[in-house]
Amino acid sequence: MNNKNFEIQIEKGTPPVNFRWHARGHMGFENVGTMIVSLMAAKKIHSETETSGDASSSPLFGAEKEGKPKETDNTISYDPIESFCKPKIFDVKIIADTTIEGVTANTNEETIFVVNAKDPEEVARQIGLGPSRVIAVDATAIAIAEMKKIGSKATFPNTAVMGAFIHIFPFISPEELYAVIKQKYRGRGEEVVDANITCAKRGYEEAKFFDGRGTDVSKAKIGAPKLLRWDEMLPGAAVYATGNMDENHTGSWRTSRPIRVDEMNAEKILAGLKKTRCTNCMICVACCPEDCILVENEKVVGINLDYCKGCGICNDVCPFGAIGIKPEEKAKKDDKE
Amino acid sequence: MTEKIPFKPLTRGFAACKGCTMTLVANAILSGKPDDTDVVIVIASGCFVVATAIFPRTAWTIPMTHVNFETAASVGSGILAAHKVLRRKGRLPSDIAALAAGLQRRGLVGRKFRVIVFAGDGATFDIGLGPLSGMLERGEPIIYICYDNNAYSNTGEQSSGATPFHAVTATTPGGMLRSEKAGGKDLMEFTLSHSAVVYAARTTLGRHNQPNDIKEKSAAAFAHDTGPVLLHIIAPCPRGWGFESSNAFTILDHAIETGECPLYHAEKVGRGHIRHLDYLPERYLGGVLHPEIHPITEFLGKQDRFVELLKRPDWLADYQEDIDYRWLGRHGLIEKCEPYGS
Amino acid sequence: MTKKKMWQVFEADGNTMGAAAAAHADIDVVSAFPITPCTQVPERIGDHIKRKELDAECLRMDGEDSAGAACTGSSLAGARTLDATSSQGLLFKAQNLYCWAGSRCPVVLLVATRAINAPVNIHDDFSDVMSQRDAGQLMFFAKNQQEVYDFALLGFKIAEDLRIQLPFWVCYRGFKVSHTTTINKILSPDGLKVFRPWLGVYERPQSLLDFEHPVVAGEVVLSEHYLEAKFGQHYGMRQAPAVIKEAAKYFSRRFWNVYSDTEEFMVDDAEYVAVVLGDDFGTLKVAVRQLRAQGVKAGAIRIVSYRPFPVKKLQKLLVGKKAVAVLDQALSSGAPSAPLCSDVRAALYNSVAKIPVRGIVYGLGGRNLEPEEVVQIYESLKHPKKWLGETEPCWIGVRGGSDKI
């Protein structure tokens, strides 16, 4: 597919372009918004014309907790930006982690999605992006490969995703992106800078495109809590203590899943030992912050996947090594099989 | 025989970071609540309230209030006073309901009542120290839980009065001391300087030698109901301390063994307070320093916030000496506590 | 029963009258921290408790911020709560003033109004209450010791009404009212027998102490619902005028007359009117009488209910007047008008034909307002062209000051 279909022009008189980054903590996306602003600021310095671009970046605060989805909003524009209100519809949405929920909120069929995934059509169907344009790049794999070359275990997909992202804006050149990456990582040493620039380059070159407009790709439903009228609320916004936070299935935050060791690496358990290492000592039950280790008849029988955040404490405290950790994406795949 | 269902007023689904120990602390404390006691929870602004109370959802199934940052103890005083006077005047809603319900619920009239305050180290050591002191001095039978993660976590890990020396936080970027002469603050001793306090303890979660330390102290907190109770509980924060979310218990083990987190309690006896050690790290066995056993590096080395400290031998020595002095120095733990095991 | 038996004579100053009201309203909790000039309020309440005229918990708090928070806690727990403060104490408590309104706590706050540091001054001024006038509470200004008692009593009735559920402030000037003893009326034992059933007890609909129906009070409310929560709070203020009117009407009928929105003196046929808060209304009356004797048609208005502001009443009172002066004992440096004048001008702007309104700042830190100065102000109202160009209030009484009345 010609990627000209995926371009948004930034010219004098065109409205500002709004995009939102969806990521989790520890994926390197904390500063992506300000990097975009720096990129546009550099343009201003280098250009001879009076106005050659403005940008804004605003992080979203709520309960700022690690693992909980983080969002950053960016606006870029040729003319000066005058409003900091949230747009109702975003022109672009960048999804760094396909397990994040609610990413199709505030979008329409013209919204372009940039996704950290192998194949754009597959991911569009898998997470329900609707009949839209999707750019996919396997950013995590690129990051792991490039960082391994310099002996680092880092897996941050941010720079590769940014490389794919700039396909949308001919106004931004890859060199400008590399310059801002260099600027951001200069404190970490040349190796790290170069590795990140390579990630961005590969992200740009290996991006795949899928124009789903007019196709039958369905859009995922978003379960937002009902918004109350003022007279439906108790005075002082008090609530009855019903514990209704259990509607919040924090299991969706999970990027790694605890697995009973007898399911995993079974061939490594020496013959003669019991099939499972678990002795039902209940230490994991006592130490689980979400209290989501399931017990029946005084035996540990499983994990409550609705709430397990994948912190791994159970894996750490088990004296018998009976709990292992599997990456969530793999676990989800294995579930399907 | 039906087992007593442990009191667990918090549902799942709260928005704490993965691996956060704060809710484990809260659940451990609340599990010690006797059946004959009603409680109201007061939480100071911070991680705990943000994780459990975002409109229109709440993780709580018992009364809770959050008013502001520094005055959690004062709000508790107000609630307690209201309970006292409303009971006296026959206007306590629960007493009225119980009476109206007749014979079966007779046991519910005049039930015991405690206010439990949860406040972080920021809300306790710094901005809330005055109100806390007022509450302790007034002698109100409030249980005050300071869950200490050594920083202002909810706002992004700024240093608080409880931040250890040379730890990197958002406001001590290179691990720089707040001032060259910065010292620590001892919340337990501050608390025990108030004569009305009936029970105070340092405790933490652990699967180590004292796995039930926190549960025992929670039971003691509820049992001591004639005056103020304070529990100072270390609650490691994966995000703030810089460790893998799975490691909290390993780090706590090290905290206890290196002497960083002493486990001790004090009770009011007569006019004063008697302190008891609940665990004696091997490093201080016999009241003597065994320098090669469990040096503080075992605790410091696992956390990114001490990266700067570990680069500087002088800071490291300073830190180790301070810990050792806390135990073995003049008026240190060994000296002021009853002999261990007695 | 004739009205006379409802009351008894009581010589007392403003603070003592406030304390008497607390006792007669059978408060449950008083939270106290000393600051001049309101300190005697909790002290006298303590006396009432000692003499078994009142059963209440007296919270000896460690600071005004703590005192305010304790009031929030006790009100959330369903107790009828009273607090008293001034100046620095009010500012220190400011967080909780907003909490009371936002969490719908009908706390009655007695304020012996005082100037704010710096410089330090313990005398009367309205700067303290004006600084927090937007915190969401009802505010009544008393002109004498009697009204401190009356408004505090009524305050509980009004604030606790389920249609309102907002805090209620009774503001009265420090020393001039708080510490000056006069001859007043308070409810007699017979009067209390009628009053107390009418007042009722405080029954908070969602109380922290209702273990059968546990509530969480003070959740974090994000942008999706905060606007609605505030509207709900504000709706209580919208309902306030009707509730105030009902309560004042009943009280006036059964006991003695109370004002509920404004008080006027010779305003009907006046051409020139001055507006003020509190006891300086008396000074205005002296000046008005003097001017009337000279043939000048002067009149005076006192705003009683400052929040909710009596917009329609004021518009009605000032129709056809030639010019108005508003006297503020508070300032808003850099603004076109001081607080009270701001509200008067705003109330008039879209309604009556443009009446010239002049703003005056006077008396900060307890400086007396002299009848002669007031006469001069009225005289100046005859010549609006001379002051219409003023872009800010005229300061009177400043030695060496350049503002001309």
Side-chain angles (χ1 to χ4, degrees):
Chain A
M1 191 84 59
N2 186 353
N3 65 9
K4 278 248 174 279
N5 286 347
F6 289 76
E7 286 177 2
I8 298 178
Q9 301 304 332
I10 297 184
E11 296 164 332
K12 198 162 180 52
T14 56
V17 179
N18 299 297
F19 45 101
R20 177 171 279 183
W21 305 80
H22 288 275
R24 298 191 184 277
H26 273 217
M27 295 183 84
F29 284 86
E30 285 79 4
N31 298 315
V32 68
T34 47
M35 281 172 77
I36 297 289
V37 177
S38 301
L39 194 154
M40 297 296 282
K43 264 186 175 316
K44 244 186 172 141
I45 294 168
H46 294 134
S47 167
E48 298 287 322
T49 57
E50 212 180 64
T51 52
S52 60
D54 196 358
S56 73
S57 162
S58 51
L60 270 82
F61 283 93
E64 277 284 304
K65 301 297 165 210
E66 182 193 301
K68 188 158 159 51
K70 275 179 177 327
E71 289 162 6
T72 307
D73 286 356
N74 273 131
T75 303
I76 55 180
S77 142
Y78 191 93
D79 299 312
I81 291 169
E82 289 170 339
S83 168
F84 304 112
C85 291
K86 301 289 163 211
K88 273 201 158 148
I89 299 291
F90 285 91
D91 302 290
V92 183
K93 278 245 183 154
I94 307 97
I95 303 162
D97 181 333
T98 51
T99 62
I100 297 173
E101 292 183 344
V103 295
T104 50
N106 305 100
T107 61
N108 62 15
E109 284 191 17
E110 289 306 303
T111 305
I112 303 175
F113 291 92
V114 180
V115 191
N116 176 11
K118 285 201 174 63
D119 180 271
E121 181 171 354
E122 191 187 305
V123 77
R125 291 186 188 282
Q126 182 195 338
I127 63 178
L129 294 178
S132 320
R133 290 169 287 178
V134 182
I135 304 176
V137 62
D138 196 355
T140 307
I142 291 172
I144 291 175
E146 293 306 318
M147 297 313 273
K148 197 172 180 181
K149 286 181 190 162
I150 62 166
S152 161
K153 285 205 184 138
T155 61
F156 305 139
N158 56 340
T159 38
V161 170
M162 289 176 86
F165 163 79
I166 59 169
H167 275 285
I168 300 176
F169 299 105
F171 187 64
I172 301 175
S173 72
E175 286 67 40
E176 283 169 330
L177 175 62
Y178 306 151
V180 88
I181 290 174
K182 188 170 181 186
Q183 177 68 9
K184 172 168 192 251
Y185 289 100
R186 69 191 187 285
R188 312 251 185 110
E190 227 184 285
E191 260 193 346
V192 174
V193 169
D194 288 340
N196 274 290
I197 290 180
T198 311
C199 285
K201 225 181 227 164
R202 284 186 61 183
Y204 187 79
E205 284 157 8
E206 296 172 28
K208 299 203 181 85
F209 301 82
F210 168 66
D211 189 342
R213 287 176 294 184
T215 66
D216 64 343
V217 178
S218 60
K219 196 166 184 180
K221 284 200 177 61
I222 307 151
K226 176 188 168 225
L227 296 177
L228 298 170
R229 288 166 45 105
W230 77 268
D231 49 1
E232 289 175 322
M233 293 166 62
L234 290 175
V239 296
Y240 284 109
T242 55
N244 62 352
M245 210 168 230
D246 57 9
E247 291 163 9
N248 183 25
H249 286 188
T250 48
S252 63
W253 301 11
R254 209 168 43 243
T255 54
S256 55
R257 188 188 293 193
I259 298 287
R260 192 193 284 268
V261 165
D262 58 317
E263 293 167 19
M264 192 173 114
N265 299 325
E267 66 274 15
K268 289 193 178 169
I269 298 176
L270 295 171
L273 276 182
K274 285 203 279 199
K275 201 165 172 228
T276 171
R277 296 179 181 182
C278 175
T279 63
N280 297 307
C281 71
M282 302 294 164
I283 284 183
C284 60
V285 175
C287 294
C288 172
E290 312 305 320
D291 187 30
C292 63
I293 299 192
L294 303 169
V295 175
E296 248 169 62
N297 297 325
E298 300 185 21
K299 286 197 164 58
V300 172
V301 297
I303 310 280
N304 184 339
L305 291 176
D306 284 340
Y307 298 105
C308 169
K309 289 174 184 161
C311 70
I313 280 180
C314 51
N315 163 264
D316 185 60
V317 302
C318 175
F320 305 103
I323 303 183
I325 301 289
K326 198 188 253 190
E328 180 63 14
E329 281 200 50
K330 184 166 193 297
K332 278 212 165 102
K333 263 202 196 131
D334 294 347
D335 280 348
K336 290 202 178 118
E337 289 149 18
Chain B
M1 180 188 93
T2 47
E3 250 180 55
K4 176 188 148 175
I5 298 169
F7 180 61
K8 193 172 166 293
L10 272 177
T11 58
R12 301 181 184 92
F14 44 76
C17 296
K18 59 179 187 176
C20 171
T21 49
M22 159 183 85
T23 40
L24 277 169
V25 165
N27 281 325
I29 297 297
L30 292 167
S31 68
K33 183 195 86 76
D35 286 337
D36 61 358
T37 306
D38 291 317
V39 296
V40 170
I41 310 289
V42 182
I43 309 182
S45 308
C47 285
F48 197 25
V49 72
V50 166
T52 57
I54 300 207
F55 190 90
R57 294 199 174 124
T58 183
W60 290 95
T61 54
I62 56 173
M64 186 279 267
T65 184
H66 157 241
V67 177
N68 39 37
F69 190 17
E70 73 281 13
T71 41
S74 317
V75 172
S77 300
I79 296 172
L80 202 64
H83 184 274
K84 233 166 142 185
V85 68
L86 290 181
R87 168 157 285 166
R88 227 166 37 223
K89 292 181 172 178
R91 281 174 36 221
L92 204 61
S94 302
D95 285 354
I96 295 171
L99 276 171
L103 276 166
Q104 307 94 296
R105 305 269 289 283
R106 196 172 273 170
L108 289 175
V109 182
R111 273 167 65 81
K112 288 197 184 154
F113 175 70
R114 295 302 282 279
V115 171
I116 305 178
V117 174
F118 283 94
D121 54 294
T124 304
F125 279 63
D126 301 334
I127 197 173
L129 201 63
L132 169 62
S133 179
M135 184 273 280
L136 296 173
E137 185 269 324
R138 283 189 297 276
E140 289 150 345
I142 292 174
I143 298 177
Y144 189 101
I145 309 292
C146 173
Y147 66 96
D148 181 359
N149 51 29
N150 292 169
Y152 289 94
S153 294
N154 193 46
T155 45
E157 310 300 336
Q158 290 79 26
S159 75
S160 79
T163 303
F165 294 169
H166 305 297
V168 170
T169 64
T171 44
T172 54
M176 304 306 288
L177 281 177
R178 296 180 287 289
S179 81
E180 282 311 307
K181 292 200 188 133
K185 251 195 233 198
D186 192 335
L187 182 64
M188 280 288 284
E189 291 310 311
F190 171 79
T191 303
L192 294 170
S193 71
H194 300 72
S195 58
V197 169
V198 294
Y199 183 79
R202 281 203 69 158
T203 180
T204 189
L205 304 162
R207 49 152 182 195
H208 194 74
N209 301 355
Q210 299 289 335
N212 289 315
D213 192 72
I214 194 171
K215 294 224 165 136
E216 282 172 13
K217 289 175 175 165
S218 160
F222 281 98
H224 287 81
D225 58 4
T226 53
V229 170
L230 183 136
L231 298 185
H232 178 193
I233 308 178
I234 296 290
C237 168
R239 202 164 144 258
W241 296 17
F243 59 85
E244 283 299 311
S245 61
S246 54
N247 277 357
F249 284 87
T250 306
I251 289 186
L252 279 170
D253 286 347
H254 290 305
I256 294 168
E257 287 301 347
T258 56
E260 161 81 18
C261 176
L263 300 177
Y264 75 106
H265 70 273
E267 287 178 297
K268 180 159 175 148
V269 176
R271 292 197 183 281
H273 296 106
I274 308 287
R275 294 160 181 69
H276 299 269
L277 265 185
D278 298 308
Y279 182 70
L280 182 59
E282 278 177 34
R283 185 179 175 82
Y284 308 113
L285 208 53
V288 166
L289 178 66
H290 304 277
E292 65 294 347
I293 299 182
H294 296 308
I296 195 65
T297 38
E298 283 179 12
F299 170 71
L300 303 172
K302 300 271 192 318
Q303 304 163 53
D304 289 347
R305 63 176 173 152
F306 290 122
V307 150
E308 296 298 324
L309 186 158
L310 288 167
K311 289 180 189 164
R312 297 226 354 207
D314 54 336
W315 285 3
L316 192 52
D318 187 31
Y319 200 108
Q320 180 71 81
E321 280 169 30
D322 186 74
I323 300 273
D324 292 338
Y325 187 81
R326 251 190 263 165
W327 283 87
L328 300 174
R330 183 112 185 260
H331 303 311
L333 285 163
I334 299 290
E335 196 181 292
K336 69 188 176 195
C337 293
E338 294 297 290
Y340 183 58
S342 68
Chain C
M1 225 183 301
T2 64
K3 273 196 183 176
K4 199 162 181 190
K5 285 193 184 158
M6 295 285 108
W7 54 270
Q8 55 186 328
V9 171
F10 187 51
E11 299 100 73
D13 60 27
N15 283 341
T16 309
M17 288 295 272
H24 286 175
D26 192 23
I27 60 167
D28 298 318
V29 173
V30 56
S31 152
F33 190 79
I35 182 168
T36 309
C38 74
T39 311
Q40 289 72 31
V41 171
E43 286 176 4
R44 301 276 179 272
I45 293 180
D47 291 341
H48 284 294
I49 295 175
K50 192 169 120 183
R51 293 194 296 260
K52 304 235 191 312
E53 292 156 3
L54 169 65
D55 181 7
E57 285 295 303
C58 190
L59 276 172
R60 184 183 49 82
M61 297 307 290
D62 47 278
E64 287 98 341
D65 186 25
S66 300
C71 286
T72 315
S74 95
S75 191
L76 288 173
R80 180 172 284 163
T81 310
L82 180 115
D83 194 1
T85 196
S86 311
S87 177
Q88 312 304 115
L90 189 136
L91 290 176
F92 191 26
K93 211 192 286 287
Q95 276 192 76
N96 288 287
L97 303 175
Y98 288 77
C99 285
W100 295 345
S103 292
R104 314 299 291 280
C105 294
V107 176
V108 168
L109 180 72
L110 301 180
V111 189
T113 66
R114 168 185 141 174
I116 305 177
N117 305 4
V120 179
N121 172 296
I122 57 170
H123 292 282
D124 59 280
D125 198 308
F126 286 135
S127 299
D128 52 4
V129 288
M130 287 307 181
S131 75
Q132 307 306 318
R133 65 193 188 275
D134 294 331
Q137 66 280 340
L138 279 65
M139 293 168 77
F140 269 51
F141 281 74
K143 71 171 173 184
N144 55 22
Q145 297 70 8
Q146 181 66 58
E147 282 196 339
V148 177
Y149 175 85
D150 298 346
F151 294 157
L153 283 185
L154 280 173
F156 288 108
K157 178 72 184 173
I158 294 165
E160 290 171 9
D161 192 298
L162 290 180
R163 293 167 284 178
I164 300 188
Q165 295 188 80
L166 292 171
F168 190 100
W169 294 12
V170 182
C171 310
Y172 54 100
R173 295 212 292 183
F175 290 104
K176 290 191 169 88
V177 177
S178 69
H179 282 61
T180 305
T181 304
T182 52
I183 305 170
N184 307 289
K185 299 193 279 284
I186 56 171
L187 290 168
S188 64
D190 287 330
L192 279 174
K193 286 198 188 118
V194 176
F195 175 76
R196 284 215 171 121
W198 174 66
L199 174 63
V201 292
Y202 177 38
E203 277 167 353
R204 189 180 173 84
Q206 287 87 28
S207 161
L208 284 177
L209 294 178
D210 184 358
F211 301 111
E212 308 296 306
H213 310 99
V215 287
V216 174
E219 298 238 305
V220 175
V221 179
L222 300 174
S223 310
E224 293 83 23
H225 286 106
Y226 185 83
L227 186 60
E228 282 69 22
K230 277 303 181 188
F231 184 81
Q233 168 201 325
H234 177 66
Y235 198 74
M237 183 66 82
R238 284 192 180 176
Q239 313 249 62
V243 176
I244 293 169
K245 210 169 180 171
E246 270 171 39
K249 199 167 158 192
Y250 179 89
F251 194 93
S252 300
R253 195 165 44 84
R254 284 313 255 122
F255 305 107
W256 56 82
N257 187 56
V258 286
Y259 292 98
S260 65
D261 50 12
T262 60
E263 186 186 353
E264 304 84 51
F265 182 66
M266 304 190 100
V267 165
D268 285 344
D269 66 335
E271 290 177 337
Y272 305 104
V273 178
V275 182
V276 80
L277 290 165
D279 59 284
D280 266 329
F281 188 59
T283 316
L284 259 57
K285 282 162 91 169
V286 170
V288 164
R289 286 192 195 99
Q290 215 176 303
L291 288 157
R292 285 276 177 173
Q294 294 162 15
V296 178
K297 289 192 174 171
I301 296 177
R302 169 172 82 96
I303 305 285
V304 174
S305 158
Y306 179 65
R307 291 281 183 271
F309 197 76
V311 176
K312 286 260 178 268
K313 180 89 184 281
L314 204 60
Q315 288 170 353
K316 211 173 68 165
L317 288 172
L318 294 175
V319 162
K321 306 305 177 206
K322 288 198 169 149
V324 177
V326 182
L327 284 72
D328 262 288
Q329 198 190 12
L331 63 96
S332 185
S333 227
S337 357
L340 179 64
C341 186
S342 260
D343 290 327
V344 172
R345 281 184 176 157
L348 296 179
Y349 194 79
N350 284 333
S351 67
V352 298
K354 289 280 178 288
I355 301 179
V357 175
R358 191 179 194 195
I360 311 283
V361 163
Y362 78 96
L364 300 178
R367 181 75 62 87
N368 275 345
L369 179 66
E370 303 297 340
E372 298 77 50
E373 288 171 322
V374 181
V375 167
Q376 283 183 297
I377 292 169
Y378 274 105
E379 293 288 347
S380 80
L381 290 181
K382 292 182 190 168
H383 313 284
K385 286 210 172 78
K386 290 194 175 158
W387 47 264
L388 267 175
E390 278 173 350
T391 55
E392 55 153 285
C394 164
W395 283 55
I396 62 170
V398 179
R399 279 183 306 280
S402 54
D403 293 358
K404 276 186 148 2
I405 296 185

